[in-house]
Amino acid sequence: MMIRVPKRTALLAVSAAALITTACSAGATSVPVGHAAAQQASSPSAPRSRSGAAASAAIAASGSAASLLGLVSASFVTASTGWLLGLQQCHQPGCSWLRLRKTTDGGRRWSAVPAPPAPYESQGSTVPGDSVSGVRFANSSDGWAFGPGLWATHDGGMTWHQVSTHGEYVQSLETAGGRALAAFSHCAPEQDNCTGFQVYSSEVGSDRWLPVAGATSQNDGPGIVTSGRQAYVTARPADIPGKATLLAGPADGSASWRPLPDPCAWGYWSTALGAGPAGTLVLGCGTQPSAGQQPKRAYLSDNGGRTWLPLADPPSSGYLGDVSMTPAGTIFVSGSRSDVYISWDSGRSWHTSPSLNNADIGDGLAAAMTTDRQGFVIQQNISVDQFWLTRDDGRTWTPSTIR
């Protein structure tokens, strides 16, 4: 499971020490993650208004600004092993802000490992073609840093090398069945009036990327998800409002991908897809956003997207960004300027967790689950350094500061 936050420009300086400090409600302590007091979930409430600037000011006032690591993306391959891509401000010309941390105990402790020698996507006024904004690992050895460039490691992150994309730009990347899948586009990140993508596939231990038959569209912002050896891609309309893209096929490209029925009516502005085991899918659809609000719909399929059933509408507060589903069926909806909305009853009702009340949702929260019980949230403002962990299916969350 991988998740990344959108690019931001604000950043605080950080230290190189690799550890976690857990903040409990009574104050900051240095106990292991997961030992915070339990808090019960409640119905959704109005979004909190604490801004990223206010959070940064609070951090600066505490005197700890010099030790913060801004978080960009996270990827777990098991419940215990994961990586975090973060930022450390660098004032030397030509140096990279990227830092990489690894955990082998489910996020209780983190250690520094080499990051790819690439610039961060929004490190400067322009977006370099070799820059990255996301990280994804398939196993303990094979991983990628991407968006819009592409870098690979085949030794667990000890060494990295740039992979040629032949002038294309990587917009998303996932793994399934011993293969990596990436959506390539000819559109530069800052290029207006340019849409379209093609999904490519590679064996995880190889850097030979080949186009997948049928996995192409003229729509924009593709997101890839996988379930077993099956893969799916969804993309928002190129002309908004319009009709979204929803395609599916084998991850190894052994057969041409095909369009799936799209329950989102014509006129939706955004879509997000989550996949569970055995072809279970959850699709979120968002209409025109405005002033922190976006009416949303959600649909469930238990047969790989051949048919869909409507769920209760997720709360309108916040913008649709991510949908995640646990193997047991718990659904998470999150995004920009949004809380994390959770359904423990297959989409019949939606709730929030009071233990996330102190999270800064000024720019939003991005949630993903790694097991039936364990998951994480990244705050979408990289000036706010906290990484939130749950070990009870999203009912309680513990904030952690990565150093």
Side-chain angles (χ1 to χ4, degrees):
M1 173 61 66
M2 181 276 291
I3 203 164
R4 61 174 174 159
V5 303
K7 62 182 180 181
R8 304 290 177 196
T9 56
L11 181 65
L12 295 180
V14 301
S15 75
L19 55 91
I20 283 186
T21 300
T22 303
C24 299
S25 58
T29 64
S30 297
V31 300
V33 172
H35 288 247
Q39 299 183 56
Q40 297 301 315
S42 70
S43 298
S45 58
R48 298 176 296 281
S49 60
R50 188 185 185 201
S51 67
S56 299
I59 291 169
S62 71
S64 60
S67 62
L68 299 182
L69 180 73
L71 306 181
V72 175
S73 178
S75 176
F76 278 74
V77 296
T78 67
S80 59
T81 302
W83 289 261
L84 273 172
L85 187 66
L87 303 174
Q88 184 179 41
Q89 195 170 30
C90 175
H91 299 287
Q92 298 177 0
C95 66
S96 175
W97 290 4
L98 294 179
R99 299 293 183 267
L100 195 63
R101 300 291 185 260
K102 180 180 179 180
T103 181
T104 57
D105 60 6
R108 290 179 174 86
R109 290 174 295 272
W110 297 83
S111 59
V113 294
Y120 174 54
E121 180 187 21
S122 59
Q123 184 169 327
S125 58
T126 61
V127 180
D130 63 343
S131 63
V132 300
S133 58
V135 66
R136 179 68 173 100
F137 275 78
N139 51 48
S140 60
S141 298
D142 301 296
W144 299 265
F146 64 95
L150 183 60
W151 296 73
T153 179
H154 300 300
D155 57 10
M158 297 310 297
T159 60
W160 293 84
H161 59 272
Q162 188 175 4
V163 179
S164 174
T165 60
H166 305 287
E168 300 278 291
Y169 302 91
V170 179
Q171 295 186 331
S172 63
L173 191 149
E174 257 298 344
T175 65
R179 301 193 71 86
L181 296 153
F184 286 51
S185 175
H186 65 278
C187 302
E190 297 174 325
Q191 187 174 353
D192 295 329
N193 301 317
C194 182
T195 61
F197 67 90
Q198 166 71 56
V199 175
Y200 282 69
S201 176
S202 172
E203 293 183 358
V204 295
S206 168
D207 297 320
R208 186 169 180 260
W209 292 84
L210 299 174
V212 177
T216 185
S217 171
Q218 289 305 306
N219 277 343
D220 194 26
I224 301 172
V225 300
T226 60
S227 177
R229 295 183 179 273
Q230 192 78 356
Y232 307 84
V233 62
T234 184
R236 63 178 177 263
D239 296 316
I240 297 176
K243 190 66 174 174
T245 293
L246 183 57
L247 305 171
D252 62 4
S254 58
S256 180
W257 286 26
R258 66 194 188 282
L260 292 177
D262 184 358
C264 298
W266 184 277
Y268 278 88
W269 288 55
S270 58
T271 61
L273 186 66
T280 303
L281 302 174
V282 177
L283 180 66
C285 317
T287 61
Q288 182 175 1
S290 176
Q293 301 288 316
Q294 184 183 35
K296 307 175 188 71
R297 294 287 177 88
Y299 298 88
L300 176 70
S301 174
D302 60 3
N303 55 20
R306 293 191 296 273
T307 60
W308 297 90
L309 295 173
L311 305 179
D313 292 348
S316 62
S317 182
Y319 305 148
L320 177 67
D322 299 284
V323 174
S324 179
M325 188 178 194
T326 71
T330 301
I331 304 169
F332 296 78
V333 174
S334 57
S336 177
R337 300 179 69 176
S338 175
D339 211 321
V340 177
Y341 302 115
I342 309 168
S343 178
W344 292 287
D345 55 10
S346 301
R348 290 188 292 272
S349 63
W350 298 93
H351 307 271
T352 61
S353 172
S355 56
L356 283 174
N357 281 351
N358 291 327
D360 175 16
I361 66 167
D363 290 299
L365 305 175
M369 298 298 290
T370 55
T371 70
D372 279 349
R373 307 282 292 173
Q374 181 175 303
F376 60 90
V377 165
I378 293 179
Q379 299 182 190
Q380 294 189 348
N381 185 331
I382 60 172
S383 295
V384 182
D385 65 305
Q386 285 180 324
F387 179 80
W388 297 73
L389 288 166
T390 182
R391 302 186 192 278
D392 59 3
D393 199 22
R395 287 175 169 80
T396 60
W397 299 82
T398 302
S400 307
T401 299
I402 314 300
R403 303 185 188 274

